[in-house]
């Protein structure tokens, strides 16, 4: 079973050299730590920055320089700043190659719910609806089951949707799964020490298992 | 050039009336018009509709106006980090319209560019699409979203000149230039007000034609919401 | 009767202090020479400049700095440069207070034709259709009659239109006329030495003459 | 950063094919991609559809491609000052679609911002409106105009870095940044190519994400179309 950093590590393997990537808040943010050395990957922060650098050193924080999670960050040589309309313009025009974000639920046809729980205080969707509606490739980083032990990989989402038919791949503490165009979660890899049976147990939506399922290499 | 300077924040917001719709630049607490917000709090105008990506925190930014119950409705993409906000929302005192961040930005752009409506795929198939026109282009569905119509846009820039030209610094740019274009009346507060000719025409983010009033703000706090550092 | 400079001079009286103005090619360009000293008027050039200055001195021409007529120009302190989308964005959003342009024909309901003569080589409308469709206030600078002696102020335009119901005022070598919301050219002023009768003769569209028509002061 | 550099204009346009649609930045002869136009002339690709505000002059700019009969169709707002152009047009060899300049610009913006269509009042009631959807918003009619779909966008910037970030100089900016955003593949030629970090992130007009290939051009002629001077 993977911890949060393990999930981030596995997702980092999906990132291609020479690509532009938008990382959501939470586990996706950790992915930045595991991008292979030597890879030229440019991180887009939807509040208006391409080329997000690491957090600043103590004392070097700049209140005018934050990421979409409102954290203090730095720029890199070659960074560019732009306004919010251009930021979402480039997202909408599919110039960003990969979006990695968290989810509360994903359905077997690729729908995603990650912004609202009826009856609870709703903070808002931020840029998530724009990102999922436009990204060429979307990977979801999440726990396989919620705190109540219920599967988050469902036939249909029960929560209000963020986007429809958009998720391409899911990485959880148990497995890597791809969402098939015709519907269904195709089991691609097991987390170290996790059995196919455990993944079956934790997946409520249609799970497709073909042949031997390899263990992840992380 | 046309001189757009006003004396200070109080003069800039003097004619803001109860019930008006106001855009506020900024993302989180980054690049918010601190001086004008304080002046609006002091002025005490009420029943405002605020278009702003976020709603500040309890004791800073738009949170200060919420605290005074000056806000009737917030139009935002994300409104966490604010207990008073939550209380007013749950008690029904405050109305909130949550819209996708890119839709928020592009509805500003549309207003500034004289386009009555734009198309975006954000929100298709979700509750955001309810009651909106959906249109298919090249096999993909888009929502038609309308340009904002704001009485005032209040923005914060790094530098500005008396002709109203604005330059923003780093990610404090965010919604500021597109809101500056979108207001019927646009107020800009700047950290440094300079004479025309000081700013390089190629570096200007917002041309002065979009700005009606400008002044040099004071005592910028520039609070950091999530101070995050690395160790070496 | 006015010459071209006279028309430009009379139009310059229409310009308000503190306004943003777009000047078309031809007579409108001359208007810049007659803006009253002390007036703060900012000229917009739709290729992407606010604050157009005078032509450069010999030897100071900059190939990267031209106006919409492709002439070398200069900037002024406080000028701002922007791309063509923003330029027409500010025009469309009615941030430009006044547009002054030439015309081949104007109709009594404010339609304008100034870009195409069927059967002749058509060079294009440039930015004229955008300007007339959006400007808050449009003044036409033109000759009252064409080279064949035919009136250019018509009941209906015979040439392909540039825009509909948009012209507010016309200044010709003979007169100043406003276009009434309900239709009709209202004669406002006569050029020096020109009689009402001469203007009547030269106007094919509905001409409205009320009371004494003063002579222009220029 | 991702290195976008290619060796020269020939390498940049190597895969441009007959029949493609190409955008060219520039207004008149100001800010045109001289090196790439010359390389396309040398390459001899044919049946091109060119989206460009103007069509050059007889012996410079796109006029060189017209002279070689490489252009099937021009999409422009103004095409004067070109005798060969006129001859080909009148003889039916060349197809021309004239569209309002603001519509041209905004259809570029739409492509770069992923908006399938935009609304503009330009051309309402004229022959430009023929066959187009007209829609009334707040009592005013607008035409729905579609985003451009270009195989290549070829632009000229003043400075650029190897990550593809571009900075334009004065009014040679014009259509360049919006076309840079609009091409499926965008080629930028620059007067000066620098390393990442040299350009101030706040001064960049076109972020590198929009640029696929960049090179430092040579022997810029920067011809002036209407040299106009004042005497004192």
């Amino acid at each position: 079973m993977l911890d949060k950093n393990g999930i981030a590590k596995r997702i980092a393997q999906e990132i291609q050299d020479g690509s532009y990537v938008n990382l959501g808040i939470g586990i996706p943010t950790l992915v930045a730590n595991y991008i292979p050395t030597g890879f030229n990957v440019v991180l887009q922060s939807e509040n208006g920055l391409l080329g997000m650098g690491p957090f600043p050193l103590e004392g070097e924080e700049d209140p005018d320089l934050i990421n979409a999670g409102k954290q203090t960050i730095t720029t890199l040589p070659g960074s560019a700043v732009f306004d919010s309309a251009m930021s979402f313009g480039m997202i909408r025009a599919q110039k960003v190659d990969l979006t990695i974000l968290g989810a509360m639920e994903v359905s077997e046809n690729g729908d995603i719910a990650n912004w609202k729980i009826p009856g609870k205080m709703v903070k808002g969707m931020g840029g998530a609806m724009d990102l999922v509606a436009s990204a060429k490739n979307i990977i979801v980083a999440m726990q396989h089951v919620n705190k109540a032990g219920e599967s988050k990989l469902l036939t249909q989402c029960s929560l209000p949707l963020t986007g429809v038919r958009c998720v391409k791949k899911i990485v959880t503490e148990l497995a890597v799964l791809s969402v098939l165009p015709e519907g269904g979660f195709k089991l691609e890899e097991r987390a170290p020490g996790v059995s196919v049976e455990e993944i079956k147990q934790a997946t409520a939506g249609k799970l497709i298992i073909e042949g031997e399922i390899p263990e992840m290499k992380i | 050039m046309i001189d757009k300077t006003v004396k200070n924040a109080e003069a800039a917001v003097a004619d803001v009336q109860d019930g008006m719709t106001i855009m506020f630049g900024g993302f989180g607490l980054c690049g918010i018009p601190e001086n004008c917000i304080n002046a609006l709090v002091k002025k005490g105008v009420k029943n405002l509709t605020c278009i702003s990506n976020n709603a500040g925190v309890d004791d800073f930014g738009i949170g200060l106006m919420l605290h005074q119950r000056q806000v009737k409705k917030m139009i935002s993409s994300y409104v966490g980090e604010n207990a008073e906000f939550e209380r007013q929302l749950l008690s029904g005192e405050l109305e909130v319209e949550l819209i996708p961040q890119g839709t928020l930005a592009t509805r500003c752009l549309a207003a500034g560019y004289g386009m009555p409506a734009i198309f975006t795929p954000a929100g298709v198939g979700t509750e955001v699409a309810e009651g909106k026109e959906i249109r298919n282009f090249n096999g993909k569905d888009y929502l038609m979203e309308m340009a904002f119509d704001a009485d005032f846009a209040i923005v914060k820039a790094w530098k500005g000149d008396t002709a109203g030209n604005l330059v923003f610094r780093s990610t404090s740019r965010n919604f500021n230039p597109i809101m500056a274009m979108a207001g019927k009346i646009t107020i800009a507060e700047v950290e440094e007000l300079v004479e025309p000719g000081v700013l390089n025409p190629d570096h200007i983010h917002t041309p002065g034609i979009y700005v009606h009033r400008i002044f040099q703000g004071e005592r910028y706090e520039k609070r950091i919401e999530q101070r995050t550092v690395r160790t070496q």
Side-chain angles (χ1 to χ4, degrees), chain A residues 173-185:
Chain A
E173 79 281 18
L174 303 180
V176 177
L177 309 102
S178 57
V179 179
L180 297 182
E182 66 271 25
F185 301 108

Side-chain angles (χ1 to χ4, degrees), chain A residues 27-50:
Chain A
I27 299 175
T29 302
L30 300 173
V31 172
N33 300 331
Y34 302 107
I35 295 170
T37 323
F39 265 37
N40 290 310
V41 172
V42 178
L43 301 180
Q44 198 250 19
S45 191
E46 69 265 26
N47 57 317
L49 179 68
L50 269 167

Side-chain angles (χ1 to χ4, degrees), chain B residues 154-165:
Chain B
I154 303 182
V155 305
K156 147 79 171 54
W158 180 44
K159 292 184 181 181
D161 68 23
T162 57
N165 295 304

